[in-house]
Amino acid sequence: MKAKVDPDLCIGCSLCAQLCPEIFSMKDDKAVACTDTVEPKNLESCKKAVDECPVTAISME
């Protein structure tokens, strides 16, 4: 699976980076997915970041 952050929707709250730092980081006040593939060990925390994003800027495919 891959995680993506829509930079147009992201408000830079950094919640995803706090919930799943293995996948998300902050760059120029916006969140970015810092890896191409979500490893199985990070799947649960990544899904939590998707679910808790206040502006639904994160998706998984």
Side-chain angles (χ1 to χ4, degrees), residues 13-30:
C13 74
S14 77
L15 183 61
C16 58
Q18 293 170 32
L19 293 172
C20 190
E22 300 84 7
I23 304 298
F24 303 103
S25 64
M26 300 302 293
K27 182 178 180 184
D28 300 328
D29 296 329
K30 299 281 183 170

Side-chain angles (χ1 to χ4, degrees), residues 1-3 20-24 33-47 60-61:
M1 297 194 93
K2 287 185 173 185
C20 190
E22 300 84 7
I23 304 298
F24 303 103
C34 51
T35 182
D36 285 340
T37 305
V38 178
E39 298 286 327
K41 65 182 179 182
N42 298 322
L43 193 57
E44 183 127 353
S45 60
C46 188
K47 284 182 180 179
M60 289 177 56
E61 51 184 52

